Amino acid sequence: MAVRIPPDVRGLMRPSAAALEPYDPAFSPARINLSANENTYGMPAEVRAEVSEALAAVATNRYPYPLSDELRAELALWHGVTPGQVCVGNGGDELLFNLLLAFGGAGHALVSCPPTFSVYRLYAELLETPVMDVPRDAETFVPDVDGLVEAARTARLVFVTSPNNPTGDLVPAGCIERLCEACPGIVLADEAYIEFAGEGTSVEGLLAAYPNLVVLHTLSKAFCLAGARIGYVLGNPSIIAALQAVRQPYSVNVLSQAAALTVVRNREAFEPIIGRIVSERGRLSTALAALPDVRVWPSSANFLCVRLPGAHEARARLRDEFSILVRDFSQAPGLADCLRITVGMPQENDAVIDSLSVITGR
């Protein structure tokens, strides 16, 4: 449980930080944890063995390569770019923070389209960056493309998530093109979940045409490295240089770099698991949508956005009666009575279906 900041300490803090509380993801012991969009299948055994060997060989008495040189080169090879177009970070969160640190601040507005990843607003406000919200359609969660484009004309940064967290929908490539053409600053396509969306859904192919586009990826989701905290962005070398200028030195440790390098070199071994997650997503979605008064939105990610009456109480019952942990978004603007449920292994998904069948009274 996070400790609350006492008033005397809060009075010493910078104003943009004083309103914050320590981050608490509301984890609690449970036999099934489907709250954080992790890959619950775990790493393929043969890859895990190679990771263990790589970790055993790491010289922990030496500082890591500041720019993750070897990993950066491997990522560049994978994505068909130069190493100078890659910046590796301590998870995608560090890279989001550094984008705002480098390009945000007073008078440098960020455009966002809620409901979306709450960290965007959190980091923006911490760094005193004004936020222009262009809300999604209240029923379908489809982004207001025309509204986003109009707001982008006066913005320094635009953040769009594809697939979006927590709604699961993709942002069309045409929307990204229009945003890049309208925005005088930086457009970020956050593709943390893109591996679950299928071939041809990434907007990486637009990088050559739009020097103000940045694409974010992570190894936390599809590639089972949530605990290692490895994210990276692809973009114009000049933007990458700006991110490198503001980053904390040695932010990506030697163990994470070694594990990530091994995983990237063995990325094809994860394809069968990703395929199973996508298949289970369809099965779980169909089963939940058949429950009384339950709505499930189409998803291209490894989670589902689910609306049901009394979602907050349902989440508590899933935890307390069935030992299943999911994410409660029912109090978030635009997400009344919504839960986000990670797609797990078949037996985990069966447990969710059975438990929500009891809770909804089917």
Side-chain angles (χ1 to χ4, degrees):
M1 180 68 68
V3 176
R4 294 186 67 86
I5 304 168
D8 58 331
V9 174
R10 202 179 294 277
L12 300 174
M13 297 171 68
R14 58 186 293 174
S16 62
L20 302 177
E21 294 292 346
Y23 176 67
D24 181 4
F27 289 160
S28 57
R31 67 186 177 95
I32 297 174
N33 185 350
L34 299 176
S35 68
N37 300 340
E38 298 151 327
N39 182 338
T40 66
Y41 285 77
M43 200 172 287
E46 66 276 17
V47 181
R48 187 167 190 78
E50 287 195 37
V51 168
S52 296
E53 290 181 13
L55 295 179
V58 168
T60 57
N61 61 315
R62 301 295 186 186
Y63 283 108
Y65 289 113
L67 301 181
S68 306
D69 293 344
E70 197 172 2
L71 175 58
R72 194 179 178 208
E74 195 70 31
L75 290 167
L77 187 64
W78 174 12
H79 292 281
V81 297
T82 67
Q85 292 176 269
V86 182
C87 183
V88 179
N90 183 8
D93 287 353
E94 182 194 29
L95 296 161
L96 294 171
F97 187 88
N98 285 348
L99 275 165
L100 284 156
L101 184 61
F103 299 102
H108 291 189
L110 165 70
V111 173
S112 183
C113 48
T116 191
F117 191 30
S118 61
V119 163
Y120 300 156
R121 175 172 282 278
L122 173 68
Y123 286 172
E125 291 179 349
L126 181 60
L127 293 169
E128 299 163 1
T129 303
V131 180
M132 294 191 289
D133 282 333
V134 181
R136 293 164 175 266
D137 183 274
E139 284 299 313
T140 64
F141 295 137
V142 172
D144 176 2
V145 176
D146 290 339
L148 284 171
V149 170
E150 189 58 33
R153 299 188 192 283
T154 58
R156 191 62 58 92
L157 289 157
V158 179
F159 285 1
V160 289
T161 317
S162 185
N164 186 50
N165 176 19
T167 61
D169 56 298
L170 284 164
V171 176
C175 172
I176 302 298
E177 290 180 289
R178 290 182 62 191
L179 289 171
C180 288
E181 290 165 0
C183 182
I186 310 300
V187 176
L188 169 75
D190 183 343
E191 295 188 344
Y193 300 95
I194 201 68
E195 288 82 11
F196 305 103
E199 292 291 329
T201 53
S202 174
V203 297
E204 285 178 30
L206 300 177
L207 286 168
Y210 296 102
N212 61 336
L213 175 63
V214 176
V215 180
L216 183 146
H217 291 287
T218 182
L219 301 181
S220 295
K221 312 301 181 184
F223 298 103
C224 298
L225 283 181
R229 308 303 297 125
I230 291 286
Y232 60 98
V233 292
L234 311 175
N236 186 285
S238 58
I239 297 175
I240 299 300
L243 292 176
Q244 291 168 352
V246 301
R247 68 179 298 153
Q248 292 185 337
Y250 309 121
S251 66
V252 182
N253 68 74
V254 289
L255 298 171
S256 291
Q257 288 189 35
L261 182 62
T262 304
V263 164
V264 170
R265 286 174 173 166
N266 289 275
R267 59 189 177 273
E268 291 182 358
F270 291 82
E271 291 178 2
I273 294 174
I274 294 169
R276 287 197 287 273
I277 292 171
V278 170
S279 177
E280 280 294 299
R281 180 181 69 201
R283 185 177 75 88
L284 180 61
S285 176
T286 298
L288 294 181
L291 297 177
D293 301 317
V294 172
R295 178 173 182 179
V296 183
W297 278 268
S299 175
S300 295
N302 69 332
F303 56 81
L304 298 173
C305 184
V306 179
R307 175 169 284 158
L308 69 161
H312 181 71
E313 293 76 16
R315 187 263 185 189
R317 288 189 64 186
L318 282 170
R319 180 195 62 202
D320 299 338
E321 298 176 27
F322 302 97
S323 196
I324 299 172
L325 203 61
V326 300
R327 186 69 180 269
D328 182 8
F329 279 89
S330 61
Q331 305 303 312
L335 293 168
D337 277 332
C338 284
L339 302 176
R340 190 192 67 194
I341 303 174
T342 304
V343 178
M345 294 183 288
Q347 63 270 28
E348 295 173 322
N349 300 328
D350 288 341
V352 170
I353 295 165
D354 293 342
S355 301
L356 283 178
S357 295
V358 172
I359 291 171
T360 59
R362 178 165 182 172

